[in-house]
Amino acid sequence: MTVADPIETRRDLSPDRPAWLRLPRFARIPTSLALAWLIIAIAAAWSLAPDLFTAYSGTAGLALQHRLPPGGVHWLGTDELGRDVLARIIFGSVHTLSGAFVAVGVGLVAGTLLGLIAGSAGRLADDIIMRMVDVLLAVPALLLSLSIIILLGFGTINAAIAVGVSSVASFARLARSEVARVRTADYVEAAFGSGGSVLAVLWRHVLPNALTPVMALAALQFGSAILSISTLGFLGYGAQPPMPEWGLMIAEGRRYIATAWWMSIFPGVAVVIVVLATNRISLSLRGRPD
């Protein structure tokens, strides 16, 4: 009598499933993380192709449609000029998300470059750069952003640059600490010992292994940048009317908060949901999946 192979027996008893369903990685994705990525995907789709999601204009109002409550025709109501609030949220995502992307890009590139130089160029360069970083950290981010906007002028891009400059210090401190940690690793010393140049070793070995926490911070800063740009728009320093922008929409609706609450509440909900989604993604990038 022959004994059946237990592996073959399990293979025969297991139901036939597609290969992608048998991969364990899909079972390990938390629901909250999948929902966060879905929210970001929807917001990105809004910003890339807003006309696919609404038939209304983001700037032109409709006659006799002023301050209508949420209903079947206008799901989120209309504003004081008869403009569909959902359409303005969809079209406003272009300005808010693109501004946040520019802000994070400015902080990520400039901060990582400063941190890389500070962590690898020697004690003198480290002291000079980190003292500059300390000065930037001592200034409140909103005050620094307002000062830069006064110099550059109003507008979404200028507000994004101002927010990005205010975040350079955070990226620089984290990048410097990670570069200093990776710089002393054995494989980096071996790369130098084998004749690798400083730039080559930094580019091939140090920077890639130091970027994971920095990218997690970038995801977190993306949510903070949305809040900052919305704050500047609320104060009137960002996008200007009639351009739809989430912070500006909240500011325009506060005059009617008692009679048309939806004008401010729904743009604020959009800001909160997107920021929470980016924070959830940031936690996953930092190795905290739950």
Side-chain angles (χ1 to χ4, degrees), residues 6 9 12 15 18-19 28 66 70 86 92 101 113 156 167 176 199-200 231 235 250 257 286:
T9 303
D12 293 337
R28 294 199 300 264
H66 305 87
L86 177 58
F101 184 80
L113 180 60
T156 303
S167 65
R176 183 257 181 191
L199 293 179
T231 300
L235 296 175
I250 298 173
I257 192 65
R286 287 188 291 175

Side-chain angles (χ1 to χ4, degrees), residues 195-261:
S197 64
V198 175
L199 293 179
V201 173
L202 291 178
W203 178 255
R204 296 179 182 177
H205 302 284
V206 176
L207 187 59
N209 290 282
L211 273 183
T212 300
V214 179
M215 296 306 297
L217 178 61
L220 184 62
Q221 285 295 121
F222 189 82
S224 300
I226 292 176
L227 283 177
S228 299
I229 291 174
S230 299
T231 300
L232 295 175
F234 180 86
L235 296 175
Y237 294 100
Q240 300 300 305
M243 184 181 298
E245 193 273 328
W246 292 350
L248 180 60
M249 291 176 63
I250 298 173
E252 291 176 340
R254 61 180 174 172
R255 293 174 294 177
Y256 306 94
I257 192 65
T259 57
W261 53 267

